[in-house]
Amino acid sequence: MSNKKRFSLLLVCMMALVAVLGACSTTTTNTSGGSAESNASAQIDQIKQRGKLIVGVKYDTKLFGLKDPGSGKVEGFDVDMAHALAKSILGDESKVELKEVTSKTRIPMLNNGDVDMVIATMTITDERKKEVDFSDVYFQAGQSLLVKKGSPIKGIEDVTADTTILAAKGATSIDNIEEKVPDVKVLEFDNYQDAFNALKAGQGEALTTDDAILYGMAAQDPNYEVVGKPFTDEPYGIAVKKGQTGLVEAINKGLADMKADGSYDEMYKKWIGKAPENK
């Protein structure tokens, strides 16, 4: 082969190599393979192809997610939020399948793929961010105490190490109360309704969780009341499986639209009885 032919062949090979490297450099990949943009849109595409959102909500939390034992219907702020997001993402608020979660099961069910998202009075924390991704804050709550009317406990300052506090397993309220009152006695239950029943049975002096949930319990039984000022900030977020950025973006867009068109305020007033102080 002549030197001229060798040079021509070498030049062709070099041009082909540059073209390949250039094509590779224009595509950003993530840990699951494929481009980040295509994977993000694929999450929404899968939901659209299925034709419904599968949402984890609580069935035992009045005002947010409570199942009527007679009709079997689940109602609350979180349930309405699920339908609103179905309208935003799928164009039809009826395209929702609800699945029951508790404070203990919501992250495992999400990571197992049992639900697309969890809307279940879930506080955004740094620890939880290691396991799941969150939307923007959709509800601002604060931890407080529920007691029987006439109780000597009027706020967190009256709770001592001799007080027995009732709470739900997996809730951040347990860590918060133990931080406020070291060595306090805490009894944990699988869900809030069991904890409330235990309070009625005299197994503890107070039940603690977010004030919004406690107001729902007090509405069930006028013999009980929420006391004291909230002693924590509890920003609720909608949780999705780690890395599902496309779904997070779709949820955040839906939330922003609701707050802009006034439908969020209407939902808030419907369940909480007043306009939100902050959104």
Side-chain angles (χ1 to χ4, degrees):
M1 183 183 293
S2 68
N3 290 338
K4 186 175 181 180
K5 288 183 178 180
R6 287 194 184 94
F7 178 77
S8 298
L9 181 60
L10 179 61
L11 183 61
V12 169
C13 291
M14 289 178 66
M15 291 176 66
L17 179 60
V18 169
V20 170
L21 291 175
C24 292
S25 67
T26 59
T27 302
T28 301
T29 58
N30 60 21
T31 55
S32 59
S35 71
E37 183 179 353
S38 64
N39 282 339
S41 62
Q43 298 153 14
I44 303 300
D45 289 343
Q46 287 175 1
I47 292 171
K48 289 182 177 179
Q49 288 172 10
R50 186 202 302 141
K52 64 181 177 181
L53 277 181
I54 303 176
V55 184
V57 299
K58 289 181 176 177
Y59 282 21
D60 68 332
T61 307
K62 189 174 178 64
L63 302 185
F64 286 86
L66 185 67
K67 184 176 182 179
D68 185 312
S71 67
K73 188 175 182 181
V74 186
E75 296 182 311
F77 185 92
D78 288 348
V79 176
D80 283 4
M81 180 61 68
H83 286 286
L85 288 174
K87 182 178 180 180
S88 176
I89 296 172
L90 298 172
D92 187 341
E93 65 178 14
S94 69
K95 293 184 176 181
V96 176
E97 178 184 341
L98 301 177
K99 287 193 176 184
E100 182 180 10
V101 299
T102 66
S103 295
K104 184 179 179 180
T105 66
R106 54 195 173 188
I107 289 180
M109 286 184 66
L110 188 62
N111 288 333
N112 287 340
D114 298 324
V115 294
D116 296 318
M117 63 184 71
V118 167
I119 313 177
T121 64
M122 191 170 181
T123 302
I124 301 170
T125 67
D126 290 338
E127 193 65 28
R128 286 174 177 163
K129 285 180 181 178
K130 297 175 184 177
E131 299 183 81
V132 299
D133 286 338
F134 282 103
S135 69
D136 294 335
V137 175
Y138 78 94
F139 192 95
Q140 183 66 52
Q143 188 171 338
S144 196
L145 300 167
L146 180 73
V147 300
K148 189 172 184 178
K149 287 183 177 177
S151 169
I153 296 176
K154 303 300 181 186
I156 187 64
E157 64 277 2
D158 297 318
V159 176
T160 69
D162 294 325
T163 306
T164 298
I165 298 291
L166 311 175
K169 292 178 181 177
T172 56
S173 52
I174 296 173
D175 293 335
N176 293 338
I177 196 76
E178 289 177 339
E179 182 179 337
K180 293 288 183 181
V181 188
D183 300 322
V184 67
K185 290 178 285 187
V186 178
L187 291 183
E188 300 179 39
F189 297 85
D190 287 333
N191 56 61
Y192 291 116
Q193 194 58 53
D194 286 349
F196 191 24
N197 289 337
L199 181 64
K200 293 178 181 180
Q203 295 182 38
E205 287 78 56
L207 192 160
T208 190
T209 188
D210 305 339
D211 53 359
I213 299 173
L214 295 179
Y215 282 121
M217 295 179 186
Q220 293 181 57
D221 191 328
N223 293 311
Y224 292 83
E225 63 180 350
V226 180
V227 295
K229 295 180 180 180
F231 51 90
T232 67
D233 289 323
E234 303 295 333
Y236 293 169
I238 297 168
V240 304
K241 196 170 185 178
K242 197 76 176 170
Q244 293 194 332
T245 55
L247 188 51
V248 171
E249 290 171 3
I251 293 170
N252 285 342
K253 182 182 183 304
L255 289 173
D257 290 344
M258 282 179 241
K259 292 176 181 181
D261 66 19
S263 57
Y264 177 88
D265 285 5
E266 292 176 9
M267 190 188 309
Y268 196 102
K269 290 175 184 176
K270 173 184 175 181
W271 294 106
I272 310 304
K274 62 179 181 179
E277 295 180 5
N278 50 60
K279 302 176 187 180

